[in-house]
């Protein structure tokens, strides 16, 4: 048969997919989802049936069924195309259901559920009967995961810090045999257990297990080597001649695990600006929680949604050590007088001319520069993103860094630092990038590096010593160094007595976090502070879009590569938690505090999209303020708003009973100050 007859046009594929479900994926891969489809995305249907918040959504493998689970303890299976209920499972849970999954290779006839009653169950979809249950957890079960090549098995993450592996073919006795199913326990920087919040299995490399917990670190395990983590103990090196800060001691002489297996069993990922290893403490310590993570369909990327921060994309294929405290070393070179010496002068102190930009890029640059002068920094960054996506050169990265520095949103100084490093890689003698790098390092608390680069800048460009910006940075460095001296003179006493096991956990955590890898992209504008189940996901036939819910009832769509926001849609009256793309169609399912599940798909041109929100800049600015606000202040403001609207909430009565004053009164303000 000729290649011409093998090829099918779109109309043939559309007709074939009506007769054969297996053609869906082929159709999706062959069709081209243009960006204009995103702009037309609108509400297709509302699926009504739950009597409580819908906390989780899950498509089956071919997208013919959507499962949802709720605070009403029910799991509903929907036909997304007919928009009807297929079946309802009244589970035996006695707590809110937080996760539902189809068990692989079971004809979509078995689902697993995890809930707030500290248990996970499996159910037969046809009969609704419970098949198995596990009550070993000592905390809420927040997320489940499955591997498509591993039938009858699912994994769970619970708030007792345990990641468990459940095999339906094997029975165990709860809770006496908890150790049999516990795969790994999550510890934090204090050496104590922390809550596990989410997990996912890489479907193309099912040995890879990603875990999110009640801190800022993504933990990527190799399940084949997890056992080796208990075969070695990490200790601080006492040898002055050692090239490493850590020593490794084998604690199990009978184990066959090697040190290389131990080091390969676990990899940390963290956004550089929330990595704690800086010379000065931030003005205000913030807490983080990873509310959701997912591997890309090609298995090469990991998308992570941070409570109290943004959505980040990590490149799993990049083996470079790009941790926060190693980024400045890009510019460091061996020096005659020691690393960091101000006596070192690089050659060619005169900045080289910038390369000529393509016409389209030049126009974008001028437009962004104009917005920058108007102090519209978010709009300027948006245009710089477009320009950099077309053509990468030092001036664009340096200019975008300037916009980040001026805007000063959370993480902006670090994003500017990354841009300055990139600009200097492209053009080592870019003067403005050099100075802005020193500014960012100072703001991020890396004072020694900031002073080193400022010394280098002084020697290369002595005429700028009298500039206002230069003197301002010098003063900032002096002030921060004075704070460090004061803190060292009056250290905060620590009266906590640490056990040997806790010290070992702390050292182990410090070792793995010291090898952390940095993010590739970040996506912002939303707010994620109110719930710990808020999702983010890949969307599109080539995963070219990123979607995430928000505390303002919206969900956001970004371009994966440029990081630009493409669309805002009103998805809930309060909070959008769940965003689950259809596995092959251009369709998205969302849910949140409302009792309904919503389906979204491109609308025709003649349909008015009533759910579309236009003002991204204003929305992003408000959400940034909400995210940085004190949680107690937010509660009080919400209470006062409810009272003014005539709705005395439960929190209002609690505060009045506890403090004996009205939250609206000046007495309460004085009391809380």
């Amino acid at each position: 048969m000729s290649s011409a007859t093998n090829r099918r046009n779109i109309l043939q594929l559309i007709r074939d997919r009506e007769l054969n479900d297996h053609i869906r994926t082929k159709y999706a891969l062959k069709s081209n989802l243009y960006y204009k489809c995103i702009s037309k995305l609108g509400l297709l249907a509302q699926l009504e049936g739950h009597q409580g918040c819908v906390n989780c959504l899950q498509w089956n493998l071919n997208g013919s069924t959507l499962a949802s689970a709720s605070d009403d303890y029910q799991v509903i299976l929907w036909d997304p195309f007919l928009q009807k209920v297929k079946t309802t499972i009244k589970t035996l849970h006695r707590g809110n259901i937080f996760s539902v999954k189809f068990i692989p290779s079971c004809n979509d006839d078995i689902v697993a559920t995890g809930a707030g009653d500290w248990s996970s169950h499996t159910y037969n979809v046809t009969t609704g009967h419970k098949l198995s249950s596990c009550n070993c957890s000592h905390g809420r079960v927040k997320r489940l995961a499955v591997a498509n090549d591993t039938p009858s098995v699912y994994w769970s993450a619970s708030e007792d810090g345990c990641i468990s592996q459940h095999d339906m073919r094997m029975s165990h006795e709860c809770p006496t045999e908890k150790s049999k199913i516990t795969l790994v326990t999550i510890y934090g920087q204090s050496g104590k257990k922390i809550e596990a919040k989410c997990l996912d299995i890489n479907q193309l490399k099912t040995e890879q297990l990603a875990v999110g917990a009640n801190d800022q670190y993504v933990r990527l395990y190799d399940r084949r080597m997890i056992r080796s983590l208990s075969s070695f103990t990490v200790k601080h090196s006492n040898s002055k001649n050692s090239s490493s800060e850590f020593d490794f001691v084998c604690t199990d002489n009978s184990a066959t695990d090697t040190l290389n297996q131990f080091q390969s069993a676990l990899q940390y990922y963290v956004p550089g600006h929330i990595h704690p290893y800086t010379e000065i403490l931030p003005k205000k310590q913030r807490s983080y929680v990873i509310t959701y993570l997912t591997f890309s369909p090609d298995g090469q990327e990991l998308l992570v949604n941070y409570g109290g921060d943004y959505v980040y994309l990590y490149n799993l294929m990049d083996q470079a050590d790009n941790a926060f405290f190693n980024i400045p070393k890009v510019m460091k070179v061996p020096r005659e007088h020691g690393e960091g010496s101000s006596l070192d002068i690089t050659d060619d102190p005169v900045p080289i001319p910038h390369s000529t930009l393509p016409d389209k890029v030049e126009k974008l640059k001028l437009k962004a520069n104009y917005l920058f002068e108007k102090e519209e920094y978010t709009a300027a960054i948006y245009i710089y993103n477009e320009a950099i996506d077309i053509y990468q050169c030092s001036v664009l990265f340096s200019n975008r860094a300037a916009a980040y520095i001026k805007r000063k949103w959370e993480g902006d100084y670090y994003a500017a630092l990354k841009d300055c490093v990139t600009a200097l890689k492209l053009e080592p003698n870019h003067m403005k990038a050099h100075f802005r790098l020193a500014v960012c390092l100072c703001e991020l608390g890396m004072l020694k590096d900031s002073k080193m680069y400022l010394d280098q800048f002084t020697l290369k460009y002595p005429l700028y010593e009298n500039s206002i910006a230069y003197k301002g940075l010098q003063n900032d460095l002096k002030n921060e160094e004075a704070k460090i001296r004061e803190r060292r003179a009056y250290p905060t006493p620590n009266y906590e007595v640490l056990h040997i096991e806790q010290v070992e956990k702390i050292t182990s955590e410090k070792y793995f976090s010291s090898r952390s890898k940095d993010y590739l992209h970040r996506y912002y504008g939303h707010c994620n502070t109110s719930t710990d189940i808020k999702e983010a996901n890949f969307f599109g036939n080539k995963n070219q879009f990123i979607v995430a819910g928000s505390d303002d009832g919206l969900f956001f769509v970004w371009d994966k590569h440029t990081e630009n926001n493409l669309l805002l849609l009103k998805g809930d009256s309060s909070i959008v938690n769940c965003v689950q793309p259809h596995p092959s169609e251009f369709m998205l399912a969302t849910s949140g505090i409302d009792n309904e599940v919503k389906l979204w798909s491109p609308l025709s041109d003649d349909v008015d999209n009533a759910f579309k929100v236009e003002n991204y800049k204003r929305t992003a600015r408000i959400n940034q303020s909400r995210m940085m606000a004190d949680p107690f202040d937010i509660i009080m403001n919400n209470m006062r708003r409810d009272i003014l609207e005539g709705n005395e909430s439960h929190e209002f009565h609690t505060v009045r009973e506890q403090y004996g004053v009205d939250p609206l009164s000046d007495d309460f303000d004085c009391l809380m100050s």
Side-chain angles (χ1 to χ4, degrees):
M1 188 178 291
S2 68
S3 59
T5 53
N6 271 332
R7 290 196 298 268
R8 299 179 177 180
N9 61 31
I10 293 295
L11 292 176
Q12 183 66 44
L13 281 166
I14 292 174
R15 196 178 82 173
D16 286 353
R17 72 173 182 160
E18 293 175 354
L19 304 174
N20 184 357
D21 278 342
H22 297 293
I23 205 70
R24 291 183 186 277
T25 301
K26 186 182 290 187
Y27 167 79
L29 293 173
K30 199 173 182 74
S31 63
N32 187 12
L33 301 180
Y34 294 102
Y35 281 78
K36 63 183 180 182
C37 289
I38 284 292
S39 65
K40 295 179 180 179
L41 197 66
L43 184 64
L44 174 67
Q46 288 193 156
L47 308 180
E48 299 179 356
H50 283 293
Q51 303 301 315
C53 304
V54 182
N55 302 318
C56 50
L57 302 170
Q58 184 64 46
W59 296 95
N60 67 343
L61 201 57
N62 67 10
S64 61
T65 304
L66 174 67
S68 62
S70 166
D71 289 356
D72 62 9
Y73 314 149
Q74 296 187 104
V75 174
I76 299 180
L77 276 68
W78 310 86
D79 184 318
F81 302 103
L82 297 178
Q83 290 123 40
K84 292 183 178 180
V85 175
K86 284 187 169 183
T87 187
T88 299
I89 302 172
K90 297 184 184 297
T91 75
L92 299 180
H93 284 294
R94 289 299 174 262
N96 301 345
I97 302 177
F98 292 115
S99 189
V100 60
K101 289 286 182 181
F102 289 95
I103 299 297
S105 303
C106 293
N107 255 352
D108 299 329
D109 203 35
I110 300 177
V111 294
T113 55
D117 58 2
W118 299 12
S119 70
S120 62
H121 300 172
T122 59
Y123 290 89
N124 182 290
V125 170
T126 303
T127 65
H129 293 160
K130 186 175 73 170
L131 302 176
S132 66
S133 64
C134 178
N135 306 301
C136 287
S137 295
H138 295 151
R140 296 184 299 176
V141 179
K142 295 309 293 281
R143 193 71 64 172
L144 305 179
V146 295
N148 290 332
D149 64 354
T150 311
S152 304
V153 177
Y154 69 94
W155 291 262
S156 65
S158 54
E159 290 182 334
D160 59 358
C162 294
I163 305 301
S164 303
Q165 179 172 300
H166 309 264
D167 192 330
M168 295 173 57
R169 298 163 296 187
M170 300 175 63
S171 62
H172 80 282
E173 191 172 327
C174 300
T176 56
E177 295 183 322
K178 178 178 172 61
S179 60
K180 288 186 177 181
I181 65 168
T182 300
L183 191 63
V184 66
T185 303
I186 311 299
Y187 291 87
Q189 297 292 300
S190 65
K192 299 177 181 178
K193 288 183 184 179
I194 59 175
E195 297 177 352
K197 293 292 187 180
C198 53
L199 78 169
D200 195 30
I201 298 283
N202 189 340
Q203 299 303 327
L204 295 188
K205 294 182 178 180
T206 54
E207 70 274 9
Q208 289 187 341
L209 166 69
V211 175
N214 221 25
D215 68 359
Q216 63 267 53
Y217 295 102
V218 176
R219 293 160 172 84
L220 180 62
Y221 293 92
D222 188 324
R223 292 192 295 116
R224 301 167 302 180
M225 301 179 187
I226 282 180
R227 188 184 64 177
S228 66
L229 292 173
S230 60
S231 301
F232 289 85
T233 297
V234 185
K235 295 185 177 181
H236 285 288
S237 177
N238 294 321
S239 173
K240 294 182 179 179
N241 298 324
S242 175
S243 59
S244 173
E245 181 185 351
F246 303 97
D247 288 333
F248 305 92
V249 179
C250 181
T251 55
D252 185 358
N253 294 326
S254 64
T256 58
D257 304 307
T258 65
L259 180 58
N260 183 58
Q261 286 176 316
F262 169 79
Q263 294 171 327
S264 302
L266 179 57
Q267 175 63 57
Y268 278 27
Y269 294 84
V270 63
H273 64 284
I274 58 177
H275 199 295
Y277 297 111
T278 56
E279 296 166 49
I280 62 172
L281 293 174
K283 296 177 182 178
K284 188 175 183 180
Q285 293 283 359
R286 300 180 60 217
S287 59
Y288 299 93
V289 57
I290 296 173
T291 62
Y292 189 80
L293 46 73
T294 182
F295 289 95
S296 60
D298 63 8
Q300 299 184 9
E301 296 169 328
L302 188 63
L303 189 68
V304 184
N305 199 348
Y306 280 79
D309 208 83
Y310 306 124
V311 175
Y312 293 92
L313 182 72
Y314 297 102
N315 180 6
L316 303 181
M317 308 306 292
D318 184 6
Q319 299 302 315
D321 185 4
N322 57 347
F324 169 67
F325 42 85
N326 283 330
I327 285 183
K329 292 183 180 179
V330 168
M331 292 180 59
K332 293 181 183 178
V333 293
R335 295 168 172 78
E336 180 182 352
H337 300 277
E339 187 181 77
S341 169
S342 60
L343 297 178
D344 177 68
I345 305 176
T346 56
D347 296 331
D348 191 15
V350 180
I352 62 175
H354 302 309
S355 58
T356 302
L357 301 178
D359 289 343
K360 183 177 180 179
V361 176
E362 180 66 26
K363 290 177 181 178
L364 289 171
K365 186 195 80 169
L366 293 176
K367 183 178 179 180
N369 290 353
Y370 173 79
L371 291 168
F372 180 91
E373 293 299 325
K374 293 287 186 180
E375 299 184 1
E376 296 183 23
Y377 303 120
T378 299
I381 291 166
Y382 191 101
I383 302 301
Y384 286 132
N385 290 345
E386 286 188 4
I388 289 171
D389 191 51
I390 299 171
Y391 186 81
Q392 297 194 356
C393 70
S394 59
V395 66
L396 294 175
F397 284 104
S398 181
N399 285 6
R400 187 171 68 177
Y404 282 135
I405 290 171
K406 287 288 188 180
R407 189 175 64 173
K408 301 179 183 178
W409 285 7
E410 179 71 11
D412 274 356
Y413 282 115
Y414 186 66
L417 171 72
K418 290 166 69 78
D419 275 352
C420 289
V421 170
T422 303
L424 289 165
K425 283 180 179 179
L426 295 169
E427 190 177 318
N429 290 303
H430 194 294
M431 181 186 67
K432 291 181 180 179
H434 190 153
F435 182 78
R436 288 165 185 160
L437 177 66
V439 170
C440 294
L441 289 168
C442 177
E443 292 291 340
L444 292 165
M446 302 188 70
L447 305 184
K448 290 181 181 178
D449 287 300
S450 179
K451 189 175 185 306
M452 180 189 75
Y453 289 121
L454 188 61
D455 288 343
Q456 287 185 358
F457 183 87
T458 305
L459 291 167
K460 291 179 72 173
Y461 314 110
L463 295 178
Y464 292 90
E465 277 188 271
N466 295 321
S467 68
I468 296 175
Y470 181 93
K471 291 180 178 179
L473 179 56
Q474 270 193 329
N475 288 333
D476 289 343
L477 282 170
K478 289 178 182 178
N479 292 336
E480 296 298 345
E481 287 169 348
K483 291 178 184 177
I484 290 178
R485 288 193 296 270
E486 183 178 354
R487 193 176 78 238
R488 288 172 179 168
Y490 302 99
T492 303
N494 184 5
Y495 300 108
E496 183 180 5
V497 178
L498 302 178
H499 299 289
I500 293 176
E501 294 84 0
Q502 191 175 350
V503 172
E504 290 176 351
K505 293 295 183 186
I506 291 173
T507 309
S508 179
E509 283 297 308
K510 187 173 182 180
Y511 165 70
F512 282 109
S513 62
S514 71
R515 302 166 64 243
S516 297
K517 295 186 183 298
D518 195 18
Y519 71 85
L520 177 64
H521 291 296
R522 69 169 182 156
Y523 310 96
Y524 53 84
H526 65 302
C527 183
N528 182 8
T529 58
S530 299
T531 59
D532 61 357
I533 56 173
K534 202 167 281 95
E535 299 176 350
N537 250 306
F538 297 91
F539 188 34
N541 64 326
K542 296 181 181 178
N543 311 314
Q544 63 269 56
F545 309 117
I546 302 296
V547 291
S550 179
D551 289 342
D552 53 7
L554 306 178
F555 69 90
F556 289 62
V557 183
W558 295 274
D559 181 285
K560 187 177 84 170
H561 298 291
T562 67
E563 304 175 8
N564 284 343
N565 177 262
L566 302 175
L567 183 68
L568 301 180
L569 286 172
K570 185 68 174 177
D572 193 272
S573 62
S574 181
I575 298 171
V576 175
N577 282 322
C578 305
V579 285
Q580 288 292 327
H582 190 278
S584 57
E585 301 288 341
F586 197 67
M587 180 188 292
L588 185 71
T590 66
S591 67
I593 304 303
D594 294 342
N595 297 348
E596 300 84 22
V597 176
K598 296 181 176 68
L599 298 178
W600 307 82
S601 188
L603 304 176
S604 60
D605 292 331
D606 58 347
V607 176
D608 183 40
N609 194 344
F611 295 87
K612 192 172 183 178
V613 177
E614 296 293 349
N615 199 335
Y616 166 75
K617 287 187 292 183
R618 180 177 179 276
T619 302
R621 187 171 62 251
I622 292 172
N623 281 338
Q624 177 68 196
S625 300
R626 288 182 63 184
M627 197 169 65
M628 295 299 106
D630 188 300
F632 186 80
D633 290 340
I634 294 175
I635 292 172
M636 295 313 303
N637 288 334
N638 290 340
M639 286 170 53
R640 287 171 173 163
R641 183 192 63 212
D642 289 341
I643 295 166
L644 290 171
E645 293 175 355
N647 304 315
E648 292 193 359
S649 62
H650 170 72
E651 290 84 355
F652 171 82
H653 292 291
T654 301
V655 170
R656 184 161 57 186
E657 290 173 6
Q658 183 173 349
Y659 294 102
V661 295
D662 193 309
L664 279 178
S665 68
D666 293 336
D667 292 336
F668 185 77
D669 287 333
C670 295
L671 179 66
M672 298 317 296
S673 63

